[in-house]
Amino acid sequence: MSGQGTYASPPCMAAEVDPTYFDPLGTDAQQARDVARWRRAERTRLAGLREGLGQTGRAQASNSICGHLETVLAARGTLRATVLAGYWPIRGEPDLRPFLSDLHAAGVCVALPVVETPAAPLVFRRWTPGMRMLRGHWNIPVPPTEAEVLTPDIALAPCLGWDEGCYRLGWGGGYYDRTLAALSPRPVTIGIALAAARLTTIYPQPHDVPLDMIVTETGVSGERKDPS
């Protein structure tokens, strides 16, 4: 809510629904359409927020996130042969590639997500610094087809927006939700985001899967109360 008592982004009826009233398990078609419109508007706003930081601001945020992430992983006892899924940054997402290179040097198995089949769970292929990359879905660089397919113990997920329930607002493809729903056992999931991208709620729908933790440039900014 703004100081004038109106929501910051009122593109549809969903933005006018009090989060305490909203039914996350509701299947009402109008509610779903309202949420979809609200999310599209929020994606535009949050992308602009990220762009507004400029190259220097984004680099500073990325460095801070890497430092906090190092502390989180050390506390969890991330060891040699642990499989950690990172991501290749697009559209101003925090750039963790130097940190992923350090993890590789320390013996962690680093993987990157690959869309092999549209509208299906992601596949994770092993990544090493300097390896030959291919252009994948949305022209995102991905490891080559001969790279080993891995199942992550820990997965990092870039977030456009996030809320205190550790629900993630992404670009809308639904790939992470499908993947987390399909993986068994489920990896520890850590959202990577900007602190300013926090939302009161993303108005979670039945298909949305919460993450275990959110790490921003200010530190651990959210943890799911019941990670089971």
Side-chain angles (χ1 to χ4, degrees):
M1 299 285 285
S2 71
Q4 286 73 37
T6 59
Y7 283 79
S9 298
C12 68
M13 290 177 63
E16 299 169 2
V17 176
D18 188 308
T20 60
Y21 172 80
F22 179 76
D23 178 9
L25 299 180
T27 57
D28 178 78
Q30 184 60 52
Q31 175 178 282
R33 287 193 293 270
D34 287 344
V35 170
R37 288 201 300 271
W38 179 85
R39 289 184 178 186
R40 283 195 296 271
E42 281 300 284
R43 289 185 184 103
T44 299
R45 182 184 71 83
L46 292 167
L49 182 153
R50 185 187 284 171
E51 183 66 24
L53 291 177
Q55 186 173 349
T56 298
R58 289 193 296 273
Q60 291 173 342
S62 296
N63 290 337
S64 295
I65 289 170
C66 287
H68 295 305
L69 193 54
E70 181 177 14
T71 300
V72 167
L73 296 180
R76 287 182 171 269
T78 303
L79 305 172
R80 295 180 65 87
T82 294
V83 179
L84 181 140
Y87 62 87
W88 195 275
I90 62 171
R91 303 181 186 179
E93 290 171 344
D95 187 353
L96 309 185
R97 287 175 295 180
F99 180 60
L100 296 180
S101 295
D102 291 343
L103 290 177
H104 167 76
V108 174
C109 296
V110 179
L112 294 181
V114 180
V115 176
E116 287 194 343
T117 304
L122 296 164
V123 171
F124 297 93
R125 295 185 195 157
R126 188 164 190 162
W127 172 83
T128 57
M131 78 184 312
R132 177 180 65 89
M133 302 287 277
L134 303 177
R135 288 286 173 178
H137 200 60
W138 294 319
N139 282 323
I140 300 173
V142 299
T145 54
E146 64 268 21
E148 181 183 6
V149 174
L150 301 173
T151 300
D153 302 303
I154 301 171
L156 309 181
C159 307
L160 255 179
W162 58 280
D163 67 21
E164 64 179 11
C166 289
Y167 281 98
R168 166 186 179 271
L169 183 66
W171 288 107
Y175 284 99
Y176 276 95
D177 290 323
R178 292 188 193 95
T179 303
L180 295 180
L183 286 175
S184 182
R186 175 180 148 155
V188 174
T189 53
I190 303 174
I192 305 299
L194 296 177
R198 178 174 179 169
L199 303 166
T200 302
T201 179
I202 72 161
Y203 298 101
Q205 299 294 284
H207 63 270
D208 289 315
V209 178
L211 306 178
D212 294 314
M213 179 185 298
I214 304 293
V215 174
T216 72
E217 75 277 16
T218 64
V220 176
S221 298
E223 287 190 79
R224 191 156 61 101
K225 294 181 175 62
D226 180 14
S228 60

